[in-house]
């Protein structure tokens, strides 16, 4: 287990620092050709403000890393990308790409997304110097194991700062005690993280049709947040937008055994629906990883409460 220290732009930091009560942010990378693999889920990701400042000024809990279309990253996170508009994000990414000799981006160009939950942005009086064993020429930053003196001290410092701004994030992880122990923190996912994690879990393909056109795919909650559901991977499905709508309205469901079912009410109400009845009783595509598959209890809830069977 490690804590990661990553070079961070002051403008990105200041913009997000001015916003209040952020649950998550997207620490984007303009190229993202190599995915970030420096931390496990729940590890501390700390912001080292670039030269000439060279201070550690905040951080967050690492939740996910992926490559995602630029426009999709804006749709998922909005101003939590650290800029006020899509145009500002587009211009910032193309500014980096131009300086590095890369071709201009388009709205569909994949960028690197490092998703951080429960971020904290400290006032300048609380910034601390970078450790002596961190070299300023590290473009991608550096991981420090929690067994090392530097890693351990950064972990303790980071957890104390996190507790000051997100006490719930710490209170949910108090067994065993947090400080001084090499434990990971369970991130509470926000809406943006949920969208990207669900898309990756289903390999960016609709669970029912196999459709791969990402702009028409949506991360659906089995049990909606409005009904007490959470942004959890086992409460998610990646669905084509029309199927998502039918699922939310109860004209379609997925059984705990993984079969897609269409309600007879669809034809009764709208006098149509052949394209959907052709999919009735088909078996959905599940994520390869068992821990990312939909919860049977959530599917049972949808069948019992929402489905117009």
């Amino acid at each position: 287990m490690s804590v990661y220290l990553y070079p961070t732009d002051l403008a990105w930091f200041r913009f997000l620092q001015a916003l209040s009560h952020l649950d998550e942010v997207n620490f984007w990378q303009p190229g993202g050709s190599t995915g970030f693999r420096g931390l496990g889920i729940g590890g501390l990701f700390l912001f080292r403000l670039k030269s000439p400042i060279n201070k550690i000024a905040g951080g967050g809990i690492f939740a996910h890393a992926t490559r995602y279309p630029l426009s999709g990253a804006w749709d998922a996170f909005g101003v939590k990308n650290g800029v006020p508009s899509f145009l500002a994000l587009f211009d910032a990414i193309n500014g980096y790409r131009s300086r590095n000799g890369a071709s201009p981006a388009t709205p569909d160009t994949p960028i690197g997304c490092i998703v951080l939950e429960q971020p904290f942005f400290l006032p300048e009086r609380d910034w601390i110097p970078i450790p002596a064993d961190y070299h300023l020429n590290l473009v991608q930053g550096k991981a420090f194991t929690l067994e090392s003196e530097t890693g351990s001290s950064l972990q303790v410092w980071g957890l104390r700062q996190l507790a000051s701004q997100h006490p719930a994030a710490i209170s949910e992880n108090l067994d065993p005690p947090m400080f001084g122990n090499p434990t990971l923190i369970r991130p509470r996912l926000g809406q943006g993280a949920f969208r990207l994690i669900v898309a990756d879990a289903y390999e960016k393909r609709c669970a029912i049709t196999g459709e791969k056109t990402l702009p028409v795919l949506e991360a659906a909650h089995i049990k909606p947040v409005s009904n007490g559901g959470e942004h959890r991977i086992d409460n998610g499905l990646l669905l084509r937008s029309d199927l998502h709508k039918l699922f939310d309205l109860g004209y379609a469901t997925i059984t705990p055994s993984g079969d897609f079912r269409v309600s007879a009410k669809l034809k009764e109400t709208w006098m149509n629906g052949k394209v959907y009845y052709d999919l009735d009783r088909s078996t959905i595509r599940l994520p390869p990883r068992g821990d990312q598959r939909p919860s049977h209890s959530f599917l049972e809830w949808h069948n019992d409460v929402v489905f117009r069977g």
Side-chain angles (χ1 to χ4, degrees), residues 11-292:
W12 180 90
F13 179 90
R14 288 295 195 198
F15 179 87
L16 292 169
Q17 186 183 40
L19 303 178
S20 59
H21 307 298
L22 290 175
D23 59 342
E24 62 183 354
V25 296
N26 181 26
F27 191 98
W28 50 265
Q29 301 169 295
S33 57
T34 58
F36 176 75
R37 297 182 178 86
L39 277 179
I41 294 173
L44 269 177
F45 184 104
L46 300 179
F47 308 140
R48 189 274 288 182
L49 297 178
K50 294 179 180 178
S51 298
I53 300 175
N54 296 319
K55 294 287 184 69
I56 305 174
I61 305 170
F62 175 73
H64 190 60
T66 187
R67 297 178 73 242
Y68 212 72
L70 194 162
S71 58
W74 176 258
D75 289 342
F77 295 98
V79 296
K80 296 174 187 179
N81 283 288
V83 290
S85 66
F86 172 72
L87 181 59
L89 178 63
F90 187 79
D91 287 346
I93 286 172
N94 271 322
Y96 278 105
R97 293 175 68 91
S98 176
R99 290 193 291 274
N100 293 328
S103 59
T106 72
D108 297 325
T109 296
I111 62 171
C113 296
I114 300 175
V115 183
L116 306 176
E117 303 299 314
Q118 289 78 55
F120 55 97
F121 301 88
L122 302 176
E124 192 166 347
R125 65 177 179 273
D126 294 331
W127 297 355
I128 62 172
I130 60 174
D133 47 349
Y134 180 93
H135 302 291
L136 294 180
N137 61 349
L138 294 171
V139 177
Q140 300 297 325
K142 181 178 179 180
F144 295 91
T145 66
L146 300 188
E147 289 74 25
S148 68
E149 182 178 352
T150 298
S152 177
S153 62
L154 287 176
Q155 174 87 343
V156 171
W157 176 85
L159 291 178
R160 293 194 184 281
Q161 305 309 319
L162 179 66
S164 70
Q165 296 196 23
H166 298 281
I170 295 298
S171 64
E172 293 172 355
N173 292 274
L174 285 179
D175 187 20
M178 292 296 298
F179 302 117
N181 288 277
T183 56
L184 297 175
I185 309 163
R186 183 176 62 255
R188 177 184 291 178
L189 300 183
Q191 175 68 27
F194 177 77
R195 291 176 65 169
L196 269 61
I197 291 173
V198 169
D200 282 348
Y202 285 84
E203 301 177 306
K204 298 184 175 68
R205 298 181 67 179
C206 173
I208 297 166
T209 66
E211 176 61 55
K212 296 187 289 185
T213 307
L214 192 57
V216 303
L217 301 182
E218 298 175 352
H221 292 85
I222 302 170
K223 187 175 187 179
V225 174
S226 59
N227 286 94
E230 298 179 58
H231 301 312
R232 291 171 38 161
I233 183 62
D234 62 351
N235 189 35
L237 296 161
L238 191 66
L239 301 177
R240 203 173 64 196
S241 57
D242 57 333
L243 295 170
H244 183 185
K245 188 71 171 179
L246 294 178
F247 185 84
D248 284 352
L249 292 174
Y251 288 114
T253 193
I254 293 171
T255 67
S257 60
D259 293 328
F260 178 64
R261 297 304 311 276
V262 182
S263 170
K265 299 291 185 182
L266 181 63
K267 185 175 182 180
E268 291 176 14
T269 304
W270 304 106
M271 308 302 293
N272 208 327
K274 182 180 184 303
V275 65
Y276 304 113
Y277 288 110
D278 286 345
L279 296 169
D280 190 39
R281 299 183 183 276
S282 60
T283 301
I284 71 165
R285 299 176 65 259
L286 292 171
R289 283 176 46 180
D291 63 338
Q292 295 183 331

